[in-house]
Amino acid sequence: MNNILIEKSVSSENGQTFYWVSHTNKEVTIVFLPGLTANHTLFEKQIMYFYDKYNVIVWDCPCHGKSRPYKNFNYSNVSKELNTILKTEGIGKTVIIGQSLGGMIGQYYIDAYPKGVIGFVSIDSAPFGDYYSKSDFFWLNQLEWMCKLFPDSVLRKSMAKMCGVTQGARERMERMLADYPKKELCHLMYIGEAAFIPENKCIKLPCDSILLLGDKDQVGKVAAYNKKWSNETGYPLMVIKNAAHNSNDDKPEEVNKIIEDFLLSIG
């Protein structure tokens, strides 16, 4: 994948953020945002499919992959980094595609910087807004110490198993997790989730949006959140059979077809 994308970075007072870009002189740019603990390789099968059809950008989210160290992780700061990247690249029309944490960052970004965003695809993510109970927020705050209770190898394998049904998706997740020492991994799980709590707000997306959900996604209450999200907003919910939390990696052909049809439908 790296032979078709150009590696670049932007810097702020919080750290250096790496991203990879392919310019094909197309009108629309797809921006891929990987999920918590994942890096840009999560979307390898999407990038290989779309890079010659659209301009493509994918990043290592701050605190992830090459974009470490990074201080003051929150949705506002991360969205500013993404906006800097898109301004640096002179991007006009964009479609944001975010998996898990990436989908939540995508929502926050679109709310803060709506200009030019014509579409949003959520992959096994969760909504901003009034969907969460006090107990939901309580357990998000417990993630760091709870993760530390697991032996290192057990923690990584259990995370990979929850993210993928297929062996390939699980192996990719394990490779991405290998970037982090256990202490850093546990802390990343905490800041990636707990950062959401003080910044949660009702967000009404101004662009066409669809939701994708693996039918075997058992991460937290993601499945329940997506069903309620779809019911309350009218966003179409596309259930991907025999796929877990990283449904784009478990079922790349099906997910790519859904994304392509969506892109064509919005012009």
Side-chain angles (χ1 to χ4, degrees):
M1 180 175 72
N2 286 344
N3 63 337
I4 60 175
L5 300 179
I6 301 170
E7 179 183 304
K8 297 185 178 183
S9 68
V10 295
S11 296
S12 71
E13 67 275 10
N14 291 313
Q16 190 173 13
T17 301
F18 284 82
Y19 65 99
W20 291 257
V21 60
S22 164
H23 284 296
T24 53
N25 297 316
K26 304 295 184 180
E27 185 179 4
V28 175
T29 298
I30 305 175
V31 180
F32 290 104
L33 306 178
L36 185 61
T37 73
N39 61 40
H40 66 284
T41 65
L42 175 68
F43 283 112
E44 181 175 17
K45 294 174 183 177
Q46 283 68 53
I47 290 165
M48 296 297 293
Y49 186 82
F50 287 107
Y51 82 94
D52 60 348
K53 301 177 178 69
Y54 296 88
N55 303 323
V56 168
I57 290 179
V58 62
W59 75 352
D60 280 358
C61 179
C63 284
H64 294 69
K66 290 192 71 172
S67 301
R68 301 155 39 230
Y70 187 88
K71 58 185 179 181
N72 299 320
F73 181 96
N74 58 49
Y75 285 84
S76 178
N77 285 340
V78 170
S79 293
K80 288 177 184 176
E81 306 290 2
L82 181 56
N83 192 53
T84 299
I85 290 170
L86 298 188
K87 288 176 67 177
T88 299
E89 295 299 325
I91 300 302
K93 291 184 180 179
T94 60
V95 174
I96 306 290
I97 300 179
Q99 189 272 338
S100 193
L101 174 68
M104 299 178 78
I105 292 169
Q107 294 167 67
Y108 196 98
Y109 174 82
I110 294 168
D111 186 61
Y113 307 98
K115 185 178 180 181
V117 181
I118 62 170
F120 171 66
V121 180
S122 164
I123 301 176
D124 298 281
S125 189
F128 272 78
D130 189 22
Y131 294 87
Y132 306 94
S133 67
K134 290 182 179 179
S135 65
D136 291 337
F137 290 148
F138 171 81
W139 288 112
L140 289 178
N141 272 314
Q142 313 310 309
L143 277 172
E144 185 166 8
W145 71 263
M146 289 174 65
C147 287
K148 289 180 178 179
L149 296 177
F150 290 87
D152 187 47
S153 62
V154 173
L155 175 64
R156 296 172 192 274
K157 287 188 178 298
S158 63
M159 290 175 66
K161 187 176 180 180
M162 291 187 76
C163 286
V165 170
T166 62
Q167 187 64 25
R170 291 180 180 181
E171 289 176 354
R172 187 190 304 276
M173 196 67 217
E174 287 196 54
R175 288 195 295 271
M176 292 187 287
L177 293 172
D179 274 350
Y180 312 100
K182 184 184 177 184
K183 182 178 180 181
E184 184 181 4
L185 177 61
C186 294
H187 186 60
L188 181 58
M189 290 292 291
Y190 166 73
I191 63 170
E193 298 286 1
F196 166 70
I197 299 172
E199 294 183 277
N200 185 34
K201 57 184 176 179
C202 291
I203 291 178
K204 182 175 176 59
L205 297 172
C207 57
D208 291 300
S209 304
I210 59 171
L211 314 177
L212 277 61
L213 174 69
D215 70 340
K216 300 189 184 304
D217 190 333
Q218 298 181 341
V219 172
K221 296 165 68 175
V222 167
Y225 294 146
N226 271 267
K227 291 170 186 175
K228 189 174 181 182
W229 192 7
S230 176
N231 287 338
E232 294 196 2
T233 63
Y235 302 150
L237 176 60
M238 321 291 284
V239 177
I240 313 300
K241 293 184 178 180
N242 299 313
H245 193 58
N246 295 2
S247 60
N248 64 295
D249 208 6
D250 270 331
K251 289 287 184 174
E253 294 84 5
E254 183 175 348
V255 169
N256 291 349
K257 181 64 166 57
I258 291 171
I259 293 172
E260 186 168 40
D261 288 346
F262 175 70
L263 290 167
L264 292 172
S265 74
I266 64 176

